Amino acid sequence: MSFLELEHVAKQFGSQTVVDDFSLAVRKGEFISFLGPSGCGKTTTLQMIAGFLEPSRGAIRLEGHDLTAVHPARRGLGVVFQSYALFPHMTVAENVAFGLEMRRVPRSQRAERVAAALAMVGLAGYEARYPRRMSGGQQQRVALARALVIQPSVLLLDEPLSNLDAKLREEMQIELRQIQRTLGTTTILVTHDQNEAMSLSDRIVVMSQGRIEQIGTPQETYERPASAFVSQFLGKTNDFAATVDRTANPARLVAGSWQAPAPVAVAGPVTISLRPERISFADVGLAARIVSRIFQGNHWLFQCETECGPALVVRQNDGKPQPAEGEAVRLAWRLEDMSVRSSGGAA
Amino acid sequence: MSTVGTTAPQAVVASSEPSAAGTPWLLSAPALMLFVGVLVIPLAMTVMLSFHDWGQYKGIEPVFILKNWREIASDPYYAEMFWRTFRIALLATAITAVLGAPEAYILNRMSGRWKGFFMLLILGPLLISVVARTLGWALLFGGNNGLVNKLLISLGLINAPLPFMFTETGIVVALAHVMMPFMVLSVWVALQRVDPQIENAAMSLGAGAFTIIRRIILPQIMPGVLSGAIIVFSLSASAFATPAIIGGRRLKVAATLAYDEFLNTLNWPLGAAVAVLLLVALALIVVGSNALIERRYAEVFR
Ligand SMILES: Nc1ncnc2c1ncn2[C@@H]1O[C@H](COP(=O)(O)OP(=O)(O)OP(=O)(O)O)[C@@H](O)[C@H]1O
Ligand SMILES: [Mg+2]
């Protein structure tokens, strides 16, 4: 039995369905990310788990018990908000101690646990500060300590890092993952940053317009996207229009001057999708011209114009000479790196 | 500096300095003149006036004596009147705080359309002339013919009309009614600065509704309540129309007494002394409590 279960959960505001048919089983100690574009219902789903919103349909269970029947104050979940929502009139120590106070933890024990929680997030010595006198990253840590000190059964994080600058965000990501690993707290993270979701989570729930597009490990969602939406959303993707030549025997898949044996299942006009880093320059293949090349330190980015439309190619900077701008090249890729779907139907 | 610099640049500096220093004064001259003309000079004249002598037959004599101040200090009538003034203002302030803060909180949680409607209702008292509004209270509660009194008597709930006109209670209630918008708006502004997720944060940590209000919301809107209280208190203590109509000639407060001395008794110096004393007392209270509030909440807000 899974630890936290969402079963066909839906949420409607008036006539507008914001989350629909959301089913997810979370294992104990797992790190899950809800990933999707703005307005796709991530926060709404998280708030239903936290209890700030009531689901219109469906069930939410924690260790087999119906969670929707429990008042949010009694659910014992830790929540970190995008705005941190620290209590500005309380010191850092008072903020962190608040949850313990509500649980009637004795004063002596409280101080100890607050100190431990603050030490864990690297804020030992900041007890007497007021939140307004701290940087965004520090406030974020206080919010995390405040949520973790009550030893929540599930930690819910709503875009906790989105207000931080890129460098600080990366640091916090590493720290967050470390803390989560050490404590083993089951964690759900809401984010619209695919890199964040990939680097932190055990599994990613990709959402679009209130529905789940795919649930899988970061590698699965990236390597084998279940839909065009997922492949577009998770990193860059090249789409080439191709045809299946049935006159040849066996049938061949043709995209411009590139061709290969056709997979059995496809017919008619199809779309080939593949990641930019899986394309290589070769002697035979799709004819293309380099429009621009951008040096990115550890890799090169090539913008190409091919027979089948524009393409993006990423090559590792391995010290070998790379094609120059304006040069004519041929693009090739391994068959197992591409996914083929028929262009007409919903991919 | 003068030993190092050559003479030529120094001359330039010296010639440009007066105009540079004078520019801010020049720019603020119109406002400054208005300020001096309509505020400082009349105020200074009023202070001067309070030291002049006055007699039934000789009128005002421009001398410097402490007669008026001595009279105010020695006659218990003035002490009682000032005590009444501040008691009324304090009670009106307390009522607006106790009713206005929850009102603002509820208003803030309403959805758009209702918020606008109720905001208009709350601002209502400010849109009606003081006289009309106060006379409305008189119509409701004035003696045997007051609408509410008539109703309550005919229902048999009371057998004598509720005393309202010419009572302190009446003045306090009517003042609290007028001043309510200032308190609600002041608390409302404070509520705008409260993180909308903060109640959810407290709830997730295990706090119940009452605890959230007491421990999380109230401390954050307290500066708003207190600044609203300062506004309401000073406006109530210096209010004229409401105490004049509801208090009538019997129940005097500082503002109505000063008015009386000026226009009925024609003892301008005494009236000036009362007015100056009210002004000084109010200024001290407002500045003092403001300093206290700022010190108390400096840590929390900026
Ligand atoms: N109280 C509400 N009433 C009506 N509609 C709402 C309400 N709350 C959210 N919505 C709508 O629900 C949809 C999903 O909102 P939600 O906040 O869950 O999105 P999100 O995925 O968290 O987006 P973001 O990344 O921008 O935070 C949005 O279209 C929003 O307009
Ligand atoms: Mg959101």
Side-chain angles (χ1 to χ4, degrees):
Chain A
M1 185 181 59
S2 39
F3 186 63
L4 176 70
E5 261 179 307
L6 284 85
E7 245 181 46
H8 307 293
V9 171
K11 179 69 190 173
Q12 278 177 304
F13 291 111
S15 61
Q16 187 195 2
T17 304
V18 167
V19 175
D20 204 8
D21 200 22
F22 193 104
S23 297
L24 173 70
V26 183
R27 287 185 293 274
K28 196 172 169 95
E30 211 176 1
F31 197 125
I32 297 271
S33 288
F34 291 175
L35 177 65
S38 189
C40 72
K42 307 181 295 288
T43 298
T44 307
T45 310
L46 200 76
Q47 298 217 327
M48 285 192 283
I49 301 173
F52 309 142
L53 289 174
E54 234 176 280
S56 310
R57 285 187 300 280
I60 302 175
R61 277 189 292 274
L62 185 65
E63 294 184 286
H65 300 292
D66 180 15
L67 204 56
T68 44
V70 184
H71 188 269
R74 309 247 164 284
R75 292 190 185 191
L77 311 180
V79 188
V80 175
F81 298 86
Q82 187 173 356
S83 60
Y84 315 140
L86 296 174
F87 309 133
H89 57 293
M90 295 185 187
T91 62
V92 167
E94 286 166 346
N95 263 282
V96 178
F98 188 79
L100 299 175
E101 214 180 307
M102 293 300 117
R103 283 166 173 68
R104 309 203 190 289
V105 174
R107 193 174 288 271
S108 54
Q109 218 178 323
R110 235 189 272 163
E112 226 168 83
R113 283 171 68 176
V114 168
L118 285 175
M120 182 178 60
V121 297
L123 282 182
Y126 284 83
E127 281 84 354
R129 284 269 191 117
Y130 280 91
R132 294 259 160 98
R133 308 253 158 137
M134 304 182 94
S135 71
Q138 289 172 331
Q139 291 186 28
Q140 209 280 326
R141 286 157 203 256
V142 176
L144 190 61
R146 186 179 68 174
L148 283 173
V149 80
I150 59 171
Q151 295 169 346
S153 48
V154 179
L155 181 63
L156 303 173
L157 309 163
D158 191 352
E159 308 207 22
L161 309 180
S162 64
N163 284 341
L164 306 180
D165 63 63
K167 191 165 175 308
L168 194 55
R169 188 157 59 218
E170 226 162 272
E171 278 173 32
M172 282 303 299
Q173 279 171 7
I174 293 167
E175 214 166 301
L176 188 61
R177 186 61 174 147
Q178 240 158 24
I179 291 171
Q180 197 268 344
R181 282 265 165 79
T182 333
L183 297 179
T185 311
T186 312
T187 302
I188 297 178
L189 169 83
V190 159
T191 179
H192 56 239
D193 178 348
Q194 45 133 339
N195 290 326
E196 191 169 298
M198 296 246 192
S199 53
L200 285 175
S201 18
D202 297 316
R203 281 193 299 158
I204 298 178
V205 178
V206 186
M207 296 176 65
S208 159
Q209 300 184 343
R211 291 181 165 276
I212 296 180
E213 291 280 337
Q214 187 174 9
I215 303 177
T217 65
Q219 224 178 334
E220 275 167 9
T221 47
Y222 187 80
E223 307 279 357
R224 287 189 297 284
S227 65
F229 174 84
V230 177
S231 81
Q232 297 288 347
F233 196 75
L234 290 178
K236 302 251 179 2
T237 300
N238 292 305
D239 284 332
F240 298 129
T243 50
V244 179
D245 182 8
R246 294 240 161 257
T247 56
N249 194 15
R252 294 193 69 76
L253 184 61
V254 181
S257 43
W258 178 92
Q259 47 174 288
V264 221
V266 294
V270 293
T271 303
I272 297 175
S273 296
L274 77 168
R275 299 286 181 191
E277 67 272 19
R278 298 299 166 86
I279 302 179
S280 55
F281 300 118
D283 298 328
V284 290
L286 190 61
R289 202 177 51 80
I290 310 274
V291 177
S292 74
R293 71 171 198 183
I294 300 161
F295 182 56
Q296 301 251 296
N298 61 350
H299 66 268
W300 291 90
L301 254 172
F302 297 94
Q303 224 107 41
C304 307
E305 195 54 58
T306 74
E307 299 163 273
C308 307
L312 189 70
V313 178
V314 172
R315 294 310 305 162
Q316 210 58 43
N317 177 17
D318 49 9
K320 297 198 182 107
Q322 301 288 345
E325 275 176 25
E327 203 172 302
V329 290
R330 298 257 173 188
L331 306 182
W333 53 89
R334 298 186 306 168
L335 298 187
E336 59 265 38
D337 285 338
M338 69 176 184
S339 64
V340 181
R341 50 175 198 275
S342 122
S343 310
Chain B
M1 182 192 164
S2 58
T3 50
V4 181
T6 57
T7 41
Q10 251 183 349
V12 173
V13 168
S15 67
S16 70
E17 211 154 280
S19 76
T23 311
W25 289 103
L26 200 71
L27 288 175
S28 48
L32 220 55
M33 263 151 63
L34 193 73
F35 180 71
V36 168
V38 305
L39 196 74
V40 176
I41 291 176
L43 211 57
M45 285 170 74
T46 312
V47 174
M48 288 298 294
L49 189 62
S50 71
F51 290 102
H52 289 350
D53 193 12
W54 179 84
Q56 191 93 49
Y57 303 107
K58 61 183 177 180
I60 299 168
E61 265 184 37
V63 290
F64 188 85
I65 52 167
L66 291 173
K67 186 180 127 195
N68 302 311
W69 291 100
R70 214 170 269 138
E71 190 181 339
I72 290 175
S74 59
D75 191 340
Y77 171 77
Y78 294 99
E80 195 199 320
M81 186 272 310
F82 268 106
W83 171 229
R84 179 189 304 131
T85 305
F86 288 119
R87 185 172 55 223
I88 287 173
L90 206 62
L91 282 172
T93 308
I95 292 176
T96 53
V98 167
L99 296 180
E103 204 170 307
Y105 180 71
I106 294 167
L107 187 76
N108 195 45
R109 294 190 61 143
M110 283 180 174
S111 63
R113 199 152 33 103
W114 288 109
K115 199 186 267 184
F117 176 70
F118 279 100
M119 187 60 111
L120 195 69
L121 271 194
I122 286 165
L123 292 181
L126 287 183
L127 308 177
I128 306 164
S129 122
V130 209
V131 178
R133 185 178 51 235
T134 312
L135 285 176
W137 281 104
L139 283 177
L140 287 179
F141 285 102
N144 285 319
N145 290 327
L147 212 59
V148 174
N149 278 338
K150 255 201 213 160
L151 180 76
L152 289 178
I153 291 174
S154 61
L155 282 176
L157 291 174
I158 52 172
N159 31 29
L162 289 176
F164 185 89
M165 295 305 290
F166 317 117
T167 65
E168 257 183 61
T169 318
I171 300 179
V172 168
V173 169
L175 273 178
H177 177 221
V178 198
M179 298 302 170
M180 197 61 86
F182 296 108
M183 179 61 78
V184 172
L185 286 180
S186 170
V187 175
W188 198 65
V189 168
L191 276 168
Q192 297 308 299
R193 294 174 43 168
V194 175
D195 188 314
Q197 290 288 8
I198 215 155
E199 291 189 34
N200 282 344
M203 191 154 56
S204 75
L205 292 167
F210 181 70
T211 309
I212 292 175
I213 300 272
R214 192 175 58 87
R215 296 280 310 275
I216 307 298
I217 300 299
L218 202 56
Q220 288 192 72
I221 60 170
M222 215 48 204
V225 175
L226 291 176
S227 56
I230 288 179
I231 298 171
V232 172
F233 181 83
S234 49
L235 286 180
S236 298
S238 55
F240 171 75
T242 306
I245 298 175
I246 293 189
R249 297 192 56 86
R250 274 184 260 167
L251 212 58
K252 285 272 175 290
V253 295
T256 51
L257 181 70
Y259 174 87
D260 251 19
E261 293 299 338
F262 271 99
L263 292 182
N264 292 342
T265 326
L266 297 181
N267 187 348
W268 284 28
L270 185 60
V274 171
V276 168
L277 188 57
L278 176 65
L279 178 74
V280 170
L282 263 183
L284 285 180
I285 291 171
V286 168
V287 171
S289 42
N290 208 24
L292 271 181
I293 293 169
E294 267 181 15
R295 178 130 39 95
R296 170 70 181 75
Y297 291 98
E299 273 301 330
V300 185
F301 297 103
R302 262 191 278 269

PDB file of all heavy atoms in Angstrom, chain A residues 263-286:
ATOM      1  N   PRO A 263       9.303   1.762 -38.846  1.00  0.00           N
ATOM      2  CA  PRO A 263       8.713   0.915 -37.805  1.00  0.00           C
ATOM      3  C   PRO A 263       7.385   0.378 -38.310  1.00  0.00           C
ATOM      4  O   PRO A 263       6.728   1.018 -39.131  1.00  0.00           O
ATOM      5  CB  PRO A 263       8.503   1.878 -36.637  1.00  0.00           C
ATOM      6  CG  PRO A 263       9.307   3.102 -36.973  1.00  0.00           C
ATOM      7  CD  PRO A 263       9.423   3.142 -38.457  1.00  0.00           C
ATOM      8  N   VAL A 264       6.992  -0.763 -37.827  1.00  0.00           N
ATOM      9  CA  VAL A 264       5.816  -1.440 -38.372  1.00  0.00           C
ATOM     10  C   VAL A 264       4.526  -0.667 -38.150  1.00  0.00           C
ATOM     11  O   VAL A 264       3.634  -0.663 -38.990  1.00  0.00           O
ATOM     12  CB  VAL A 264       5.649  -2.840 -37.731  1.00  0.00           C
ATOM     13  CG1 VAL A 264       5.229  -3.845 -38.792  1.00  0.00           C
ATOM     14  CG2 VAL A 264       6.926  -3.271 -37.029  1.00  0.00           C
ATOM     15  N   ALA A 265       4.413   0.006 -37.013  1.00  0.00           N
ATOM     16  CA  ALA A 265       3.115   0.526 -36.582  1.00  0.00           C
ATOM     17  C   ALA A 265       2.671   1.767 -37.338  1.00  0.00           C
ATOM     18  O   ALA A 265       1.505   2.124 -37.289  1.00  0.00           O
ATOM     19  CB  ALA A 265       3.160   0.828 -35.086  1.00  0.00           C
ATOM     20  N   VAL A 266       3.583   2.446 -38.042  1.00  0.00           N
ATOM     21  CA  VAL A 266       3.200   3.745 -38.585  1.00  0.00           C
ATOM     22  C   VAL A 266       2.849   3.685 -40.056  1.00  0.00           C
ATOM     23  O   VAL A 266       3.297   2.806 -40.791  1.00  0.00           O
ATOM     24  CB  VAL A 266       4.320   4.783 -38.375  1.00  0.00           C
ATOM     25  CG1 VAL A 266       4.513   5.055 -36.899  1.00  0.00           C
ATOM     26  CG2 VAL A 266       5.606   4.328 -39.028  1.00  0.00           C
ATOM     27  N   ALA A 267       2.023   4.674 -40.445  1.00  0.00           N
ATOM     28  CA  ALA A 267       1.656   4.792 -41.848  1.00  0.00           C
ATOM     29  C   ALA A 267       1.370   6.247 -42.146  1.00  0.00           C
ATOM     30  O   ALA A 267       1.124   7.035 -41.236  1.00  0.00           O
ATOM     31  CB  ALA A 267       0.425   3.940 -42.142  1.00  0.00           C
ATOM     32  N   GLY A 268       1.403   6.624 -43.426  1.00  0.00           N
ATOM     33  CA  GLY A 268       1.055   7.980 -43.838  1.00  0.00           C
ATOM     34  C   GLY A 268       2.070   8.998 -43.364  1.00  0.00           C
ATOM     35  O   GLY A 268       3.214   8.662 -43.080  1.00  0.00           O
ATOM     36  N   PRO A 269       1.639  10.281 -43.306  1.00  0.00           N
ATOM     37  CA  PRO A 269       2.560  11.314 -42.828  1.00  0.00           C
ATOM     38  C   PRO A 269       2.810  11.159 -41.320  1.00  0.00           C
ATOM     39  O   PRO A 269       1.864  10.924 -40.563  1.00  0.00           O
ATOM     40  CB  PRO A 269       1.815  12.620 -43.132  1.00  0.00           C
ATOM     41  CG  PRO A 269       0.387  12.250 -43.298  1.00  0.00           C
ATOM     42  CD  PRO A 269       0.319  10.794 -43.652  1.00  0.00           C
ATOM     43  N   VAL A 270       4.066  11.258 -40.917  1.00  0.00           N
ATOM     44  CA  VAL A 270       4.406  11.086 -39.510  1.00  0.00           C
ATOM     45  C   VAL A 270       5.321  12.225 -39.056  1.00  0.00           C
ATOM     46  O   VAL A 270       5.805  13.005 -39.864  1.00  0.00           O
ATOM     47  CB  VAL A 270       5.130   9.746 -39.257  1.00  0.00           C
ATOM     48  CG1 VAL A 270       4.200   8.571 -39.507  1.00  0.00           C
ATOM     49  CG2 VAL A 270       6.380   9.650 -40.118  1.00  0.00           C
ATOM     50  N   THR A 271       5.501  12.326 -37.740  1.00  0.00           N
ATOM     51  CA  THR A 271       6.433  13.290 -37.177  1.00  0.00           C
ATOM     52  C   THR A 271       7.514  12.536 -36.417  1.00  0.00           C
ATOM     53  O   THR A 271       7.214  11.641 -35.631  1.00  0.00           O
ATOM     54  CB  THR A 271       5.700  14.251 -36.212  1.00  0.00           C
ATOM     55  OG1 THR A 271       4.647  14.882 -36.924  1.00  0.00           O
ATOM     56  CG2 THR A 271       6.643  15.312 -35.677  1.00  0.00           C
ATOM     57  N   ILE A 272       8.738  12.919 -36.692  1.00  0.00           N
ATOM     58  CA  ILE A 272       9.857  12.343 -35.956  1.00  0.00           C
ATOM     59  C   ILE A 272      10.280  13.341 -34.889  1.00  0.00           C
ATOM     60  O   ILE A 272      10.497  14.513 -35.199  1.00  0.00           O
ATOM     61  CB  ILE A 272      11.054  12.084 -36.900  1.00  0.00           C
ATOM     62  CG1 ILE A 272      10.675  11.052 -37.960  1.00  0.00           C
ATOM     63  CG2 ILE A 272      12.280  11.649 -36.116  1.00  0.00           C
ATOM     64  CD1 ILE A 272      11.762  10.851 -38.997  1.00  0.00           C
ATOM     65  N   SER A 273      10.360  12.900 -33.625  1.00  0.00           N
ATOM     66  CA  SER A 273      10.835  13.773 -32.554  1.00  0.00           C
ATOM     67  C   SER A 273      12.149  13.240 -32.035  1.00  0.00           C
ATOM     68  O   SER A 273      12.273  12.036 -31.803  1.00  0.00           O
ATOM     69  CB  SER A 273       9.844  13.793 -31.386  1.00  0.00           C
ATOM     70  OG  SER A 273       8.644  14.331 -31.803  1.00  0.00           O
ATOM     71  N   LEU A 274      13.105  14.148 -31.833  1.00  0.00           N
ATOM     72  CA  LEU A 274      14.326  13.710 -31.171  1.00  0.00           C
ATOM     73  C   LEU A 274      15.039  14.873 -30.516  1.00  0.00           C
ATOM     74  O   LEU A 274      14.863  16.028 -30.891  1.00  0.00           O
ATOM     75  CB  LEU A 274      15.236  12.918 -32.112  1.00  0.00           C
ATOM     76  CG  LEU A 274      16.076  13.621 -33.155  1.00  0.00           C
ATOM     77  CD1 LEU A 274      17.083  12.653 -33.728  1.00  0.00           C
ATOM     78  CD2 LEU A 274      15.185  14.127 -34.264  1.00  0.00           C
ATOM     79  N   ARG A 275      15.802  14.531 -29.470  1.00  0.00           N
ATOM     80  CA  ARG A 275      16.471  15.544 -28.665  1.00  0.00           C
ATOM     81  C   ARG A 275      17.675  16.111 -29.415  1.00  0.00           C
ATOM     82  O   ARG A 275      18.359  15.378 -30.138  1.00  0.00           O
ATOM     83  CB  ARG A 275      16.955  14.915 -27.360  1.00  0.00           C
ATOM     84  CG  ARG A 275      15.851  14.338 -26.501  1.00  0.00           C
ATOM     85  CD  ARG A 275      15.063  15.436 -25.845  1.00  0.00           C
ATOM     86  NE  ARG A 275      14.006  14.893 -24.993  1.00  0.00           N
ATOM     87  CZ  ARG A 275      13.045  15.641 -24.467  1.00  0.00           C
ATOM     88  NH1 ARG A 275      12.993  16.931 -24.732  1.00  0.00           N
ATOM     89  NH2 ARG A 275      12.138  15.107 -23.696  1.00  0.00           N
ATOM     90  N   PRO A 276      17.973  17.377 -29.224  1.00  0.00           N
ATOM     91  CA  PRO A 276      19.084  18.035 -29.932  1.00  0.00           C
ATOM     92  C   PRO A 276      20.433  17.355 -29.694  1.00  0.00           C
ATOM     93  O   PRO A 276      21.268  17.339 -30.594  1.00  0.00           O
ATOM     94  CB  PRO A 276      19.100  19.447 -29.337  1.00  0.00           C
ATOM     95  CG  PRO A 276      17.775  19.641 -28.719  1.00  0.00           C
ATOM     96  CD  PRO A 276      17.252  18.300 -28.348  1.00  0.00           C
ATOM     97  N   GLU A 277      20.629  16.794 -28.480  1.00  0.00           N
ATOM     98  CA  GLU A 277      21.942  16.217 -28.183  1.00  0.00           C
ATOM     99  C   GLU A 277      22.104  14.833 -28.786  1.00  0.00           C
ATOM    100  O   GLU A 277      23.170  14.240 -28.724  1.00  0.00           O
ATOM    101  CB  GLU A 277      22.186  16.178 -26.671  1.00  0.00           C
ATOM    102  CG  GLU A 277      21.286  15.241 -25.903  1.00  0.00           C
ATOM    103  CD  GLU A 277      19.983  15.902 -25.476  1.00  0.00           C
ATOM    104  OE1 GLU A 277      19.611  16.944 -26.073  1.00  0.00           O
ATOM    105  OE2 GLU A 277      19.318  15.380 -24.571  1.00  0.00           O
ATOM    106  N   ARG A 278      21.042  14.291 -29.406  1.00  0.00           N
ATOM    107  CA  ARG A 278      21.130  12.968 -30.017  1.00  0.00           C
ATOM    108  C   ARG A 278      21.428  13.039 -31.514  1.00  0.00           C
ATOM    109  O   ARG A 278      21.513  12.022 -32.183  1.00  0.00           O
ATOM    110  CB  ARG A 278      19.809  12.198 -29.795  1.00  0.00           C
ATOM    111  CG  ARG A 278      19.492  11.951 -28.340  1.00  0.00           C
ATOM    112  CD  ARG A 278      20.587  11.126 -27.702  1.00  0.00           C
ATOM    113  NE  ARG A 278      20.516  11.110 -26.252  1.00  0.00           N
ATOM    114  CZ  ARG A 278      19.777  10.254 -25.564  1.00  0.00           C
ATOM    115  NH1 ARG A 278      19.056   9.354 -26.169  1.00  0.00           N
ATOM    116  NH2 ARG A 278      19.760  10.304 -24.245  1.00  0.00           N
ATOM    117  N   ILE A 279      21.513  14.240 -32.030  1.00  0.00           N
ATOM    118  CA  ILE A 279      21.811  14.398 -33.456  1.00  0.00           C
ATOM    119  C   ILE A 279      23.316  14.584 -33.616  1.00  0.00           C
ATOM    120  O   ILE A 279      23.942  15.305 -32.843  1.00  0.00           O
ATOM    121  CB  ILE A 279      21.086  15.627 -34.041  1.00  0.00           C
ATOM    122  CG1 ILE A 279      19.576  15.487 -33.837  1.00  0.00           C
ATOM    123  CG2 ILE A 279      21.423  15.795 -35.522  1.00  0.00           C
ATOM    124  CD1 ILE A 279      18.779  16.659 -34.364  1.00  0.00           C
ATOM    125  N   SER A 280      23.871  13.903 -34.615  1.00  0.00           N
ATOM    126  CA  SER A 280      25.299  14.100 -34.860  1.00  0.00           C
ATOM    127  C   SER A 280      25.509  14.491 -36.320  1.00  0.00           C
ATOM    128  O   SER A 280      24.626  14.310 -37.158  1.00  0.00           O
ATOM    129  CB  SER A 280      26.072  12.827 -34.523  1.00  0.00           C
ATOM    130  OG  SER A 280      25.518  11.753 -35.250  1.00  0.00           O
ATOM    131  N   PHE A 281      26.665  15.080 -36.587  1.00  0.00           N
ATOM    132  CA  PHE A 281      27.013  15.411 -37.964  1.00  0.00           C
ATOM    133  C   PHE A 281      27.643  14.176 -38.608  1.00  0.00           C
ATOM    134  O   PHE A 281      28.470  13.507 -38.004  1.00  0.00           O
ATOM    135  CB  PHE A 281      27.992  16.579 -37.992  1.00  0.00           C
ATOM    136  CG  PHE A 281      27.432  17.810 -37.356  1.00  0.00           C
ATOM    137  CD1 PHE A 281      28.023  18.368 -36.240  1.00  0.00           C
ATOM    138  CD2 PHE A 281      26.284  18.405 -37.868  1.00  0.00           C
ATOM    139  CE1 PHE A 281      27.498  19.496 -35.650  1.00  0.00           C
ATOM    140  CE2 PHE A 281      25.743  19.533 -37.276  1.00  0.00           C
ATOM    141  CZ  PHE A 281      26.353  20.080 -36.166  1.00  0.00           C
ATOM    142  N   ALA A 282      27.172  13.855 -39.823  1.00  0.00           N
ATOM    143  CA  ALA A 282      27.635  12.619 -40.466  1.00  0.00           C
ATOM    144  C   ALA A 282      27.863  12.861 -41.953  1.00  0.00           C
ATOM    145  O   ALA A 282      27.674  13.976 -42.459  1.00  0.00           O
ATOM    146  CB  ALA A 282      26.596  11.518 -40.253  1.00  0.00           C
ATOM    147  N   ASP A 283      28.269  11.808 -42.674  1.00  0.00           N
ATOM    148  CA  ASP A 283      28.509  11.933 -44.109  1.00  0.00           C
ATOM    149  C   ASP A 283      27.230  11.784 -44.905  1.00  0.00           C
ATOM    150  O   ASP A 283      27.048  12.404 -45.946  1.00  0.00           O
ATOM    151  CB  ASP A 283      29.523  10.878 -44.569  1.00  0.00           C
ATOM    152  CG  ASP A 283      30.863  11.074 -43.877  1.00  0.00           C
ATOM    153  OD1 ASP A 283      31.187  12.255 -43.580  1.00  0.00           O
ATOM    154  OD2 ASP A 283      31.556  10.081 -43.607  1.00  0.00           O
ATOM    155  N   VAL A 284      26.318  10.935 -44.415  1.00  0.00           N
ATOM    156  CA  VAL A 284      25.014  10.812 -45.073  1.00  0.00           C
ATOM    157  C   VAL A 284      23.943  11.156 -44.058  1.00  0.00           C
ATOM    158  O   VAL A 284      24.135  11.022 -42.858  1.00  0.00           O
ATOM    159  CB  VAL A 284      24.777   9.379 -45.592  1.00  0.00           C
ATOM    160  CG1 VAL A 284      25.683   9.088 -46.776  1.00  0.00           C
ATOM    161  CG2 VAL A 284      24.959   8.369 -44.477  1.00  0.00           C
ATOM    162  N   GLY A 285      22.777  11.604 -44.584  1.00  0.00           N
ATOM    163  CA  GLY A 285      21.673  11.929 -43.687  1.00  0.00           C
ATOM    164  C   GLY A 285      20.932  13.151 -44.166  1.00  0.00           C
ATOM    165  O   GLY A 285      21.027  13.538 -45.344  1.00  0.00           O
ATOM    166  N   LEU A 286      20.180  13.765 -43.272  1.00  0.00           N
ATOM    167  CA  LEU A 286      19.350  14.924 -43.575  1.00  0.00           C
ATOM    168  C   LEU A 286      20.254  16.107 -43.938  1.00  0.00           C
ATOM    169  O   LEU A 286      21.107  16.509 -43.158  1.00  0.00           O
ATOM    170  CB  LEU A 286      18.505  15.264 -42.335  1.00  0.00           C
ATOM    171  CG  LEU A 286      17.406  16.288 -42.488  1.00  0.00           C
ATOM    172  CD1 LEU A 286      16.369  15.830 -43.511  1.00  0.00           C
ATOM    173  CD2 LEU A 286      16.733  16.516 -41.142  1.00  0.00           C
TER     174      LEU A 286
END
